[in-house]
């Protein structure tokens, strides 16, 4: 949720809580008057008058505070004096509306204040002060809570921006390395296998076009992300020859599913660099997406060397493309999709590694069009 939307949502909730609290407060006063003073009027009438007087006094207090302090914090002593002064005004307004609704004559303000209702006005003044201070404290607590929520939202937004910048930096570091290696292979292939060189050039253009689009956006679809992976894997398959095979599976119903860009490629790159390339016989890498119990699950499995016996996920190697990449993905998953999103690594059978990303479907977005 964006910061502005969060502020509007918090203000709406604050207003609703205040109205509910004032309604309960007025209802308690109506019940107290009916039980203690044994009035002859039915409870429904007492409740209506209590509501009208309570909301009228609150309106006078709120309007006076706004006119004097606008959006600044009011002075406590002056605020209490306003509560006392608002009692007779609000009492008159609320009582007059009630008398009008029940078809009684509405007396003038002076007449009502000089009548036997002065005791009720005094009681209203005490209740107004008590209620004003109570709601003032509640408003202060709500304001502090709103500030904490805003600060959390700002922190999350800053972390997200920093993470995006880190991702783009990582992307900028990866592309030249991969580009130079691919161009070197391309140069060698042109002389000995023109057809294969042409195919490699086509895949390179396809990969660069898809990669450029991913670097410029904060969200992409699984279809686009898998196209990027396919072009990347095809390039690596041409370079490694028979030592590498790959398989990519994306169900049609998940093609339009949105996902953060570049979540998958670091895992594929790790699988090739640390699993398949060092292995003499090479191996196979498979990438597939599925939907399991309202979770988007993406498997990246290889048959390479596998996790080392001293593998420690918490260790950050100097080589930025191994554990830093995994930590980066976990941080991005948590920031974008919450604590229920996860990345796990486990041993594949009979050899290799399986990296598994899980994203709750409720936290992910659906694209409106592929």
């Amino acid at each position: 949720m964006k910061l502005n939307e969060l502020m509007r949502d918090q203000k709406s909730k604050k207003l609703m809580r205040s109205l509910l609290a004032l309604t309960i407060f007025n209802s308690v006063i109506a019940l107290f008057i009916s039980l203690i003073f044994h009035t002859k009027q039915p409870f429904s009438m007492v409740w209506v008058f209590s509501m009208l007087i309570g909301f009228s006094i609150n309106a006078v207090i709120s309007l006076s505070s706004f006119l004097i302090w606008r959006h600044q914090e009011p002075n406590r002593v002056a605020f209490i004096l306003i509560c006392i002064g608002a009692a007779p005004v609000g009492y008159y307004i609320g009582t007059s509306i009630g008398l009008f609704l029940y078809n009684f004559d509405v007396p003038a303000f002076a007449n009502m204040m000089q009548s036997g209702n002065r005791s009720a006005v005094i009681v209203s003044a005490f209740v107004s002060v008590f209620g004003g201070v109570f709601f003032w404290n509640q408003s202060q607590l709500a304001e502090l809570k709103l500030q904490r929520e805003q600060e959390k939202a700002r922190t999350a937004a800053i972390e997200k921006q920093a993470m995006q910048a880190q991702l783009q930096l990582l992307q900028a570091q990866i592309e030249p390395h991969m580009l130079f290696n691919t161009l070197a292979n391309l140069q060698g292939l042109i002389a000995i296998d023109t057809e294969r060189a042409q195919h490699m050039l086509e895949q390179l253009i396809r990969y660069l076009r898809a990669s450029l689009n991913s670097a410029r956006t904060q969200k992409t679809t699984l279809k686009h992300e898998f196209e990027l992976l396919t072009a990347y894997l095809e390039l690596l398959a041409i370079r490694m020859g028979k030592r590498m095979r790959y398989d990519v599976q994306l169900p049609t119903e998940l093609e339009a599913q949105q996902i953060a860009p570049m979540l998958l490629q670091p895992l594929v790159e790790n699988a090739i660099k640390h699993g398949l390339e060092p292995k003499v016989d090479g191996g196979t890498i498979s990438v597939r997406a599925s939907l399991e119990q309202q979770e988007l699950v993406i498997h990246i499995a290889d048959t390479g060397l596998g996790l080392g016996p001293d593998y420690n996920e918490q260790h950050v190697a100097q080589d930025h493309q191994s554990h830093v990449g995994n930590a980066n993905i976990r941080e991005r998953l948590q920031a974008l999709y919450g604590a229920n999103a996860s990345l796990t690594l486990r041993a594949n059978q009979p050899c290799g590694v399986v990296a598994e990303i899980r994203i709750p479907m409720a936290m992910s977005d659906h694209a409106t069009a592929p």
Side-chain angles (χ1 to χ4, degrees):
M1 183 179 292
K2 296 180 179 178
L3 184 59
N4 291 337
E5 294 176 352
L6 175 66
M7 292 177 64
R8 285 196 296 270
D9 183 62
Q10 291 294 330
K11 287 181 179 178
S12 298
K13 289 181 179 177
K14 178 183 175 183
L15 177 62
M16 294 303 297
R17 282 197 295 266
S18 299
L19 292 176
L20 178 63
L22 187 57
T23 300
I24 295 174
F25 186 77
N26 293 335
S27 299
V28 171
I29 292 176
L31 186 63
F32 178 80
I33 292 174
S34 297
L35 294 177
I36 302 301
F37 294 98
H38 302 290
T39 58
K40 297 179 181 178
Q41 289 77 19
F43 176 75
S44 59
M45 180 181 289
V46 176
W47 185 83
V48 170
F49 273 89
S50 178
M51 286 290 165
L52 292 171
I53 294 172
F55 275 99
S56 297
I57 292 175
N58 182 72
V60 173
I61 293 173
S62 299
L63 180 61
S64 302
S65 299
F66 177 76
L67 292 177
I68 297 174
W69 295 290
R70 298 289 175 177
H71 298 293
Q72 297 179 352
E73 183 179 347
N75 178 275
R76 183 183 284 268
V77 176
F79 182 76
I80 292 175
L81 293 176
I82 286 178
C83 293
I84 296 174
V89 179
Y91 179 84
Y92 176 74
I93 295 173
T95 303
S96 298
I97 296 174
L99 292 174
F100 177 78
L101 291 176
Y102 285 96
N103 295 321
F104 291 109
D105 293 332
V106 179
F109 179 78
N111 293 336
M112 186 179 291
M113 294 302 105
Q114 292 174 357
S115 67
N117 290 327
R118 279 179 296 182
S119 59
V121 175
I122 294 173
V123 172
S124 298
F126 280 107
V127 174
S128 174
V129 172
F130 174 78
V133 173
F134 173 78
F135 287 110
W136 187 80
N137 288 331
Q138 291 298 310
S139 176
Q140 292 295 100
L141 291 174
E143 192 66 29
L144 289 174
K145 184 178 179 181
L146 177 60
Q147 290 176 2
R148 286 198 299 270
E149 294 293 332
Q150 290 174 351
E151 189 61 32
K152 285 171 61 179
R154 287 194 191 94
T155 302
I158 292 171
E159 289 177 349
K160 187 176 179 180
Q161 291 173 354
M163 200 171 293
Q164 193 67 27
Q166 187 177 359
L167 172 67
Q168 291 175 345
L169 177 62
L170 180 61
Q171 177 77 352
Q173 293 170 340
I174 292 172
E175 283 180 354
H177 173 74
M178 184 228 174
L179 184 61
F180 291 141
N181 285 341
T182 304
L183 290 175
N185 286 112
L186 190 60
Q187 186 181 29
L189 279 176
I190 290 174
I192 60 175
D193 192 341
T194 307
E195 185 176 349
R196 194 175 169 198
Q198 179 68 27
H199 179 57
M200 189 173 194
L201 182 60
E202 291 173 357
Q203 296 305 315
L204 178 60
I205 294 173
R206 182 183 172 194
Y207 169 76
L208 291 178
R209 183 180 292 118
S211 178
L212 186 62
N213 290 336
S214 291
R216 290 175 175 173
T217 184
Q218 294 185 354
K219 286 184 179 179
T220 186
T221 61
L222 274 179
K223 180 180 179 181
H224 181 270
E225 198 71 359
F226 270 62
E227 287 176 351
L228 174 69
L229 289 178
T230 302
Y232 178 76
L233 288 168
E234 182 63 21
L235 277 175
L236 270 294
I238 295 172
R239 282 174 47 187
M240 294 178 63
K242 296 181 180 178
R243 292 181 57 240
M244 177 186 161
R245 297 165 298 281
Y246 72 91
D247 176 44
V248 176
Q249 298 180 29
L250 175 63
T252 305
E253 62 271 19
L254 292 179
E255 288 183 348
Q257 180 66 42
Q258 288 194 336
I259 190 172
M262 304 300 293
L263 270 178
L264 310 180
Q265 181 174 330
L267 297 173
V268 173
E269 187 177 356
N270 281 346
I272 294 173
K273 183 174 182 178
H274 302 287
L276 301 186
E277 277 189 338
K279 192 174 180 180
V280 176
D281 297 333
T284 302
I285 180 169
S286 64
V287 184
R288 60 182 174 85
S290 60
L291 186 62
E292 298 179 7
Q293 298 178 345
Q294 297 304 309
E295 284 186 327
L296 174 64
V297 183
I298 301 172
H299 284 90
I300 300 171
D302 68 78
T303 58
L305 294 179
L307 299 171
D310 58 345
Y311 173 77
N312 181 2
E313 187 61 30
Q314 303 303 319
H315 172 68
V316 178
Q318 295 298 320
D319 181 356
H320 68 84
Q321 296 179 30
S322 54
H323 294 199
V324 171
N326 296 340
N328 182 290
I329 292 172
R330 287 195 174 95
E331 290 175 1
R332 293 185 68 204
L333 286 172
Q334 191 162 24
L336 294 171
Y337 306 110
N340 289 331
S342 64
L343 164 65
T344 57
L345 269 68
R346 66 175 185 273
N348 196 11
Q349 297 300 327
C351 59
V353 177
V354 176
E356 182 181 274
I357 287 180
R358 286 184 173 268
I359 301 174
M361 290 293 286
M363 299 299 297
S364 61
D365 299 319
H366 292 274
T368 54

